[in-house]
Amino acid sequence: LDISLASDSARFAYDAAKVGSGLHVSASIQHHESDGDLASLGLNVVDMRSPNSPLYLGIGGKVFGYVTGDYDGGALGLGGFFRYNIPKTQGVSLAGYAYYAPSVVSFGDTQSLIDSDIRIQYALLPTARVYAGYRFSQVEIEKTRRDIKLEEGIHFGLKVDF
């Protein structure tokens, strides 16, 4: 469970890796007070280099849907995520994700879509991390070439693993 807040937005996400399968599934909803909502469902394959590796990687895709005051649409984004536990800094890690959808896999009012996040995390417990990060979520609107930033800025959050 991942909950992040900014002054004018909130994001709730859930993700799970099926032990031993290499599959990682995710779902999220992001709400911005004035710019709209963005939802996603994702499927990735994951690789933990070795049991003691500080690097955790996943690549795959997400299906996105969004609604703003004037536009709506969706897209199929490709990308991935990572988490890197910084050696010799007990509990500190760097994590992020980025997914991009060009026009060929975008529909509705969408020309393209990007959803990305980078964060620094601290493990309060082995299964709970607090973080501060920067998120950028943008939709380019078809025909108008107008960009709608569904989120851009600093956020703070809590991630709990079950």
Side-chain angles (χ1 to χ4, degrees):
L1 182 63
D2 187 340
I3 301 169
S4 66
L5 302 172
S7 62
D8 52 5
S9 66
R11 182 176 183 267
F12 301 94
Y14 177 79
D15 64 275
K18 184 168 167 111
V19 177
S21 73
L23 288 179
H24 179 272
V25 295
S26 64
S28 71
I29 182 77
Q30 178 178 302
H31 171 72
H32 190 280
E33 286 182 333
S34 58
D35 293 333
D37 301 322
L38 176 68
S40 72
L41 294 172
L43 181 64
N44 292 272
V45 293
V46 294
D47 175 32
M48 189 154 171
R49 299 293 173 178
S50 71
N52 297 322
S53 174
L55 183 61
Y56 183 70
L57 296 171
I59 58 170
K62 285 188 176 187
V63 174
F64 291 94
Y66 70 91
V67 176
T68 69
D70 298 323
Y71 306 101
D72 59 53
L76 173 60
L78 297 178
F81 63 89
F82 77 96
R83 184 178 71 233
Y84 180 70
N85 295 319
I86 301 170
K88 299 180 183 173
T89 60
Q90 185 149 345
V92 178
S93 60
L94 185 64
Y97 64 82
Y99 291 86
Y100 175 71
S103 62
V104 69
V105 288
S106 299
F107 50 93
D109 295 318
T110 315
Q111 177 68 28
S112 66
L113 181 146
I114 187 165
D115 185 33
S116 60
D117 181 284
I118 188 81
R119 59 179 72 164
I120 186 95
Q121 306 179 126
Y122 177 72
L124 294 172
L125 304 168
T127 57
R129 295 180 291 280
V130 293
Y131 61 84
Y134 179 82
R135 178 175 300 116
F136 181 78
S137 301
Q138 177 178 285
V139 176
E140 182 183 3
I141 302 301
E142 193 171 52
K143 297 179 184 160
T144 67
R145 298 291 185 195
R146 179 176 173 214
D147 293 335
I148 296 178
K149 290 182 176 75
L150 296 170
E151 178 62 34
E152 181 179 25
I154 294 173
H155 61 278
F156 300 93
L158 171 68
K159 183 168 175 64
V160 179
D161 298 324
F162 297 102

